[in-house]
Amino acid sequence: MHIVAHAPRILALVLTAATAVACANTSNGGGTTFVDTNTTDFSTTDTTAGTDSTTGTDSTVADTSGASKTVAELQAMKTACGSPPVAFDNFLNDVMIRDVVVTSPMRISAGYEGVFVQDEGGGENSGIYVMMKGTATALADVNPGDVLTIVGDAKEYYCFTELQADSVVPSGETKEVVAVKVTPAQLDEKASMDLVEPFEGVMVELENVVVADPLATGTDNKPHGAILVGADENSPSVRIASGFGKFYMTEYDKTTKAYSEKYPKGTKIKSIKGVIEYTYGAFQLLPVEDPILE
C-alpha cells in the first residue's frame, strides 16, 4: 500500500464490552481480509451492525441507473444528526461513486464485509465506509489502492455516513492512498463535532504525538484495546483504537481476558496513519498500519 502525506483533524469514546465490535480479530487467510472473532475484546467498532433489513449483493457489473456523485458531494448532502440519532436514515438510494480509492483493509463483522474508500486525492469530506451484507462479496478481493466504481444506498447509521453497496466493480487500476496530516488539537476528544466531522471516513496521518494513556478505558471504566495520545504524555486527547484485526494498540491475553500495555506512557510516535470512524457519539482513529516510533 502506497500512502503519501497531503495537506492539513478524533474525539472518541469507546463502546462498552457488551456493544463493542472486537478488534481481537484473526486473519481468515485472505490477505487483507480480517474476521471479527471476539465481540468483547477490542473496540474497533462495527458500524454496520444493527437492524438493517436491506442487503447488498455481490456483483461484477456496475448498475448505471443511479445518480453519480463524488464522496465529497455525498458528505455535503448528508442528513443532520438528530437527537436521539436515527439508526438507519437512507438519504440517497441508487447512487454511484466512480473511481474511488480503497484506503483500508477489509473487515468482517456481524454479517457484513466493509472497507473505507475516498475520492482520489483525499482531503476533507472525501472518505466514506462501504459495506455489503454476506460473505465472499465483491469487497472480498479488494485491497488498499484499488480503484472502484460502486452503486448503492447512502445512509446515516447513528450519524456515521455509509454506503451499502449493491455492486462493486474494480477498474483494474491502483492509486496512491493520500493521507491528510492532522494535529492532536484537530482530533481532540473535547473538540466540537463540526471540527472533526470533515475527516469522517478519511485517511489521516497523525504526527509527533506521545502516548498519554496506554490502557484507555471506555464508558464502563474498563480497557478495550485503545490508547490515548496527545502533544505530550500529560495530554490525553486523541483515541486510537485497535484496527482491522491486525494493528493492535495494546496486548491482550485471551486466556485471562486481560489487557496490558504495548506502548507505555511516554512512548513517542513519529507517525500513525488510519481512517476516522464515528461510532456511538464519538470519533476514533482506526490504524491501517503499525505506528512509526521515534
Side-chain angles (χ1 to χ4, degrees), residues 81-86:
C81 187
S83 181
V86 178

Side-chain angles (χ1 to χ4, degrees), residues 70 81 149 160-161 218 239 285 291:
T70 65
C81 187
T149 291
F160 181 57
T161 310
R239 187 174 297 268
L285 186 149

Side-chain angles (χ1 to χ4, degrees), residues 93 109 125 136 141 202 214 288:
N93 293 331
S109 182
N125 298 305
D141 297 321
V202 174
V288 298

Side-chain angles (χ1 to χ4, degrees), residues 3 10 12 30 36-37 40 42-43 46 58 63 67 91 96 105 110-111 144 161 169 177 212-213 224 250 254 258 277:
I3 302 179
I10 170 164
D36 292 326
T37 59
T40 60
F42 292 99
S43 63
D46 170 33
D58 195 349
D63 176 3
F91 64 90
M96 174 184 289
T161 310
V169 181
V177 179
D213 187 347
H224 296 279
T250 68
K254 288 187 177 182
E277 178 178 53

Side-chain angles (χ1 to χ4, degrees), residues 243-254:
F244 302 99
K246 185 176 182 180
F247 307 109
Y248 298 116
M249 296 297 102
T250 68
E251 303 290 354
Y252 181 75
D253 188 319
K254 288 187 177 182

Side-chain angles (χ1 to χ4, degrees), residues 130-147:
V130 177
M131 79 282 194
M132 300 184 85
K133 192 168 186 178
T135 58
T137 70
L139 294 175
D141 297 321
V142 305
N143 295 286
D146 287 352
V147 178

Side-chain angles (χ1 to χ4, degrees), residues 1 14 17 62 68 74 87 111 133 162 191 200 205 210 224 226 238 247 266 270:
M1 172 174 59
V14 120
S68 181
L74 283 181
K133 192 168 186 178
E162 303 176 333
E200 179 192 275
E205 181 180 10
V210 182
H224 296 279
V238 180
F247 307 109
K270 183 177 181 181

